[in-house]
């Protein structure tokens, strides 16, 4: 039995009884919302929560070694006075790989590209001596990479 998944941009036909996201559709939808950082943050948070759940089930010893190595790299960078950026990148790559989901890998890769775009905007504004533009670009970047749910007060 085939299902048709409808969304903002088109439809995807899947072979299972459960609707499955079409990678191209998900990426188009994310691209359409790239100028709305709070929505991207929410999507990223939702995706990363699902990603770690997926990673916890089929993980292999090799996956766990990659995750552990990423943590070692991050700790070394931080103890050396750095921010641990490479270790963080390796950690996210390792967790994404452990999830064994090509769709999630593509979506997370796309989000990383969107973050890179904000870095370019920041660099361009700084190069142009545009303090206002740099500030605006950094705010966009900060909103995009922040874990907004952790910053909210308890609603209980």
């Amino acid at each position: 039995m085939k299902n048709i998944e409808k969304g903002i941009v088109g439809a995807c036909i899947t072979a299972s009884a459960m609707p499955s996201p079409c990678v191209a559709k998900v990426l188009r939808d994310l691209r359409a919302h790239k100028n709305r950082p709070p929505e991207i943050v929410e999507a990223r948070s939702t995706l990363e929560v699902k990603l770690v759940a997926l990673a916890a089930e089929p993980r292999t010893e090799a996956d766990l070694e990659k995750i552990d190595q990423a943590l070692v790299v991050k700790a070394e960078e931080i103890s050396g006075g750095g921010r641990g950026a490479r270790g963080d990148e390796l950690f996210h790559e390792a967790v994404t790989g452990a999830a064994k989901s090509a769709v999630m890998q593509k979506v997370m890769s796309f989000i990383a590209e969107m973050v890179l775009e904000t870095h370019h905007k920041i660099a361009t504004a700084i190069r142009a001596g545009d303090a206002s533009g740099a500030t605006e670009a950094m705010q966009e970047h900060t909103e995009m990479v922040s874990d907004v749910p952790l910053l909210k007060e308890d609603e209980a």
Side-chain angles (χ1 to χ4, degrees):
M1 168 182 248
K2 293 192 180 206
N3 292 315
I4 298 177
E5 177 190 337
K6 297 178 189 172
I8 296 171
V9 185
C12 295
I13 299 175
T14 61
S16 71
M18 295 295 293
S20 175
C22 173
V23 175
K25 177 191 168 305
V26 170
L27 296 180
R28 281 192 305 265
D29 288 352
L30 280 172
R31 175 64 73 184
H33 292 86
K34 76 175 187 174
N35 294 321
R36 294 150 88 178
E39 291 177 23
I40 296 297
V41 170
E42 183 179 339
R44 181 178 175 186
S45 176
T46 301
L47 289 169
E48 290 195 39
V49 167
K50 180 64 176 176
L51 193 63
V52 297
L54 290 172
E57 295 174 12
R59 87 246 174 259
T60 64
E61 283 303 315
D63 293 328
L64 296 174
E65 287 175 19
K66 287 178 184 174
I67 290 169
D68 290 341
Q69 182 57 37
L71 294 173
V72 167
V73 169
K74 185 168 180 98
E76 289 173 351
E77 288 176 321
I78 292 169
S79 69
R83 294 175 156 174
R86 179 66 183 143
D88 188 64
E89 180 182 346
L90 291 171
F91 178 80
H92 284 280
E93 286 175 8
V95 170
T96 301
K100 310 289 189 267
S101 170
V103 171
M104 291 297 269
Q105 286 179 333
K106 288 182 181 180
V107 171
M108 295 308 291
S109 214
F110 179 76
I111 290 172
E113 289 174 17
M114 290 174 60
V115 171
L116 179 60
E117 286 179 25
T118 65
H119 288 169
H120 283 292
K121 286 181 186 177
I122 294 164
T124 299
I126 291 171
R127 189 173 290 107
D130 179 4
S132 176
T135 300
E136 184 178 318
M138 181 55 83
Q139 182 64 39
E140 178 184 340
H141 172 73
T142 302
E143 289 174 6
M144 188 175 289
V145 299
S146 295
D147 191 0
V148 173
L150 289 177
L151 300 176
K152 292 181 181 177
E153 292 184 32
D154 287 339
E155 298 175 4

